[in-house]
């Protein structure tokens, strides 16, 4: 009987350790992803805490195939719930996905001379004119290095739709920049 109780306790401790490690590993990813939807750092921190509290209450990770995708989807849903609670009649795909100036990962592709600075500014303007879902897929694929399968799971689309969106978006960006 004691052995059985120890196993339950060890299992719960293992679960809490996994949650703690996951929190540390995915905090920055969730924080940056959340800021793409809601420009309020305190609110995003609360969202992250709520996500992990819900996981803790759940008691296990049974049924979660990919924890990173689960967490990103939870963040996305928190943003949607936030807008829904404010009575903004937006679908999740209509919520603005912002690539902020201070955290622009595209900048590292360009040197500091005038011509490349102009190219960078033109690219940034073109990207900002894209629909929210296209910006989000570009961000997830090129900046966060998610696979098309992971993007598909996160956004409830097919991997082929993710690939098609990247291809279509790149074609559109080329046209806008020429």
């Amino acid at each position: 009987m004691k052995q059985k109780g120890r196993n339950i306790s060890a299992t719960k401790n293992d679960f809490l350790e996994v949650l703690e490690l996951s929190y540390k590993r995915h905090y920055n990813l969730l924080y940056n992803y959340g800021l793409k939807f809601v420009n309020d750092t305190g609110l995003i921190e609360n969202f992250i805490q709520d996500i992990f509290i819900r996981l803790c209450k759940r008691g296990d990770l049974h049924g979660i195939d990919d924890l990173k995708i689960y967490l990103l989807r939870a963040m996305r849903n928190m943003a949607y719930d936030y807008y829904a609670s404010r009575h903004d009649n937006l679908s999740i795909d209509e919520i603005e996905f912002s690539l902020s100036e201070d955290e622009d990962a595209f900048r590292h592709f360009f040197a500091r001379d005038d011509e490349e600075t102009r190219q960078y500014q033109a690219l940034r303007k073109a990207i900002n004119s894209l629909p929210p879902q296209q910006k989000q897929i570009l961000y997830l694929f090129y900046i966060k290095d998610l696979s098309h399968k992971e993007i598909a799971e996160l956004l409830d689309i097919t991997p082929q739709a993710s690939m098609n969106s990247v291809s279509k978006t790149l074609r559109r960006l080329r046209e806008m920049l020429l």
Side-chain angles (χ1 to χ4, degrees):
M1 188 75 169
K2 285 184 180 179
Q3 180 65 26
K4 196 172 196 175
R6 224 182 283 146
N7 285 342
I8 290 171
S9 178
T11 303
K12 183 169 178 124
N13 286 338
D14 291 345
F15 171 69
L16 293 175
E17 261 184 59
V18 167
L19 278 186
E20 182 180 355
L21 289 171
S22 297
Y23 181 87
K24 289 176 181 176
R25 172 182 285 158
H26 299 296
Y27 181 87
N28 286 337
L29 174 67
L30 290 172
Y31 184 81
N32 289 323
Y33 187 61
L35 284 176
K36 303 302 178 227
F37 294 107
V38 180
N39 191 19
D40 182 334
T41 58
L43 193 57
I44 297 304
E45 290 169 352
N46 289 340
F47 287 174
I48 294 170
Q49 283 183 341
D50 289 348
I51 291 167
F52 279 92
I53 287 170
R54 288 178 186 179
L55 271 175
C56 192
K57 286 180 180 178
R58 181 184 168 138
D60 66 24
L61 299 176
H62 183 73
I64 298 175
D65 296 328
D66 186 330
L67 185 59
K68 178 171 75 172
I69 297 304
Y70 175 90
L71 294 170
L72 288 169
R73 179 176 276 192
M75 178 57 74
R76 186 173 185 251
N77 289 339
M78 292 289 246
Y80 177 75
D81 291 345
Y82 167 74
Y83 285 109
S85 73
R86 294 176 56 215
H87 306 293
D88 293 344
N89 292 328
L90 297 172
S91 79
I92 192 69
D93 295 325
E94 293 171 326
I95 295 172
E96 185 58 37
F97 189 80
S98 171
L99 294 174
S100 61
E101 182 71 46
D102 60 325
E103 208 257 344
D104 190 1
F106 292 104
R107 185 179 313 209
H108 76 275
F109 291 117
F110 298 92
R112 299 286 180 206
D113 68 25
D114 287 343
E115 179 58 29
E116 288 199 4
T117 299
R118 279 191 289 279
Q119 289 174 347
Y120 162 74
Q121 290 169 343
L123 177 60
R124 181 164 175 67
K125 183 178 178 184
I127 289 171
N128 283 333
S129 72
L130 295 172
Q133 187 168 13
Q134 286 182 336
K135 281 194 280 191
Q136 187 173 180
I137 290 172
L138 271 183
Y139 172 80
L140 293 170
F141 186 72
Y142 286 108
I143 306 306
K144 293 302 176 186
D145 205 27
L146 267 62
S147 69
H148 289 294
K149 181 181 178 204
E150 291 171 320
I151 293 169
E153 289 176 34
L154 175 61
L155 301 180
D156 285 327
I157 59 176
T158 65
Q160 187 63 49
S162 175
M163 287 185 271
N164 291 348
S165 181
V166 168
S167 178
K168 178 181 174 183
T169 302
L170 292 177
R171 236 183 350 268
R172 184 172 177 191
L173 287 172
R174 271 188 223 106
E175 289 170 4
M176 293 168 81
L177 295 171
L178 294 177

